[in-house]
Amino acid sequence: MPAGTASQHSLRSLPEYRDEAGSSDGSDETAIDAETADLIRPDGADEDEATTRTSALLNKYIPPRAKRAWKSTVKWMKGPQPPRPYRIRPYFPAIQEAPIRLLERYAPKRKHKILILVALYFCWLLSFSLVLHKSAFASDVPGYGSPVRIGCTARYWRDGNGCGINGNQCRPFANNTLTFRCPANCKRVEVVNPHAVGGRSVNYRSLVIGGPTDEEDSMSSGIYRGDSFICGSAIHAGMVRNKDGGCGVLEFKGEQQNFPSKKKNGIRSISFDSYFPHTFGFVEGTASQCKDLRWPLLAVSLTFTVLLSLFTTFPAVFFVTEFTAIFFHVALASDPPELTNYYSLISLALGRFLPAAFCAAAFYRYCVHYPLTGLTAQIEKTILWLGGCWVGALNNYTFDKIPIQRLTPHDIKQEPGAIPALIIVVLSIFCIALGQAWALRIEGRLPKYLAIYGIMCISLLLLVAIPKMNVRIHHYILALLLLPGTAIQNRPSLLFQGLLVGLFINGIARWGFDSILQTPAELRGDARLGTPLPTILPPIIHNNIGTTMAPNITFEWDKPFPHGWDGISVLVNDVERFRGYEDAPVDSFTWIREHEGLPEYFRFAFMRGSRSGDFSKAATWYADGGYAHQKPGPSF
């Protein structure tokens, strides 16, 4: 019984109670009146009184115009009443629904559909496995053995003093060969931080130093510095094709000099006018028929996913199958991680798939099933959702062309074209977000999604505020952030949702679950460290012209070293030739010219133990005996 009804009934019975109990004195009447007053007071009166006081305060301090604006805004965000949910009405329904009718005609029962689905799975798995085996496991190169699978960035020489004194940690220099296998699409791989080559610095280009030295540009005359990308050099030399990759044999050629700059097969190599101890070339006639069959594999996977998309209307079957097929296609074929052992690659793909599947289950439950439920526009779904998913999953061929390698201030400032590209991307996302917000408003769901994205923004701001850490939005994180806004059944949402799912797949299958918070060292990679540089005094030069003595140059430096640094490293032509420590008696470095007619480049860095800091820009001792002191600042 409601509280108000109970109070009235009790009030009517009180006189009867007094008549039965006899007369009462004044105190009893007062007590009864107080009780009566409590009974008369309706439930929630205290709350109503507090609400009234609050409203009075708000009316006093908030202008009426602001109140009206706020009410209008809230009413507008709630959308039309009643809400109008979007539903896709297929163009040419007779054509788009034909696959569904065909399936219902020849497989009307559920068990028939399950058998067809299992058969489709089996056919895809069998064909994909056969082509993948042929693509991944090449036959031996006659006379040289089985090739080693290498990545696009593989090289022999490490930067700075990573190869030790005289490069001894990167031997052998000569009398050795390597049978290698390169993946496809290595021409696009560039250095993303400045790389010193003698007296110059190169960035955002393929690291290929040298090339053919004869007029015919023959492969046998090609000489490449040891710090060049092996696969990029093989494409430049014509040993492998960028489209298909390939196998070949690399030969170490020891110390060589005068590396020319040549443009071949779409790559402009870098010149170097001095000598280097570790070089390589390619053995002519050893190019094998092994190929990276990622394009035939794409045809297999694309055929399978398109067929399934056309003939199924069940959202869970569609999403789970497409997600799994595209994930393993990216992880094993189109953009695999750089591992030399293919069995390790399979293990890594399986290890990343399980947590990715948990994420996929979450965004299927809250995002993906909305636009797919009840959708019979089979061709539109295939073109928009599945096509967008493939575009995002093949990121290394699609969005990788945008000149933004990493969303960090350092990279955006130094990469050519990054700032205009970032502006275009941000404006595009903003316009898309406005369109999606309008659609959510029409469906009456805008306030809820504004709350969701408000929580996301607050969380990102809290992460940004964490000291000594940097927020990095990987493209799989970007997909997770934007996917909730695509939970609408209209055509733009189909396209955007498929695209974001594809980006998520590519991010996890290729790179894994990198943290949204990273240390400055993780973001820096091989970029400058920002460490102090040695102060080098003007050298003492003995050109010894007209004598039998070899020319020499002597460098000295200021002491003591800065706090935390106990040594100094000297590179000559990008090879470490000297290490001196503060507690050793040697406080100078003398270099004797070994090759007449060639310049030599000297760079200096402090060391902590055996690890070096930033190296200085190069000081140049010219072939004619002249000298140019290094300019201020680090070289890379």
Side-chain angles (χ1 to χ4, degrees), residues 557-600:
W557 43 83
D558 282 345
K559 280 190 173 183
F561 295 152
H563 178 71
W565 302 93
D566 61 349
I568 192 168
S569 173
V570 182
L571 303 185
V572 182
N573 291 341
D574 306 322
V575 180
E576 188 177 42
R577 300 295 186 179
F578 173 81
R579 289 184 182 183
Y581 290 92
E582 195 169 22
D583 57 359
V586 179
D587 55 3
S588 65
F589 165 66
T590 299
W591 179 253
I592 300 173
R593 189 189 291 276
E594 297 181 357
H595 300 272
E596 295 291 337
L598 295 177
E600 305 205 67

Side-chain angles (χ1 to χ4, degrees), residues 2 50 73 80 122 210 245 255 325 332 369 423 428 474 508 521 530 576 607 622:
T73 302
F122 176 78
E255 185 177 289
L332 300 178
H369 84 278
I423 293 173
S428 300
H474 305 276
I508 302 304
E576 188 177 42
M607 290 194 306
Y622 295 106

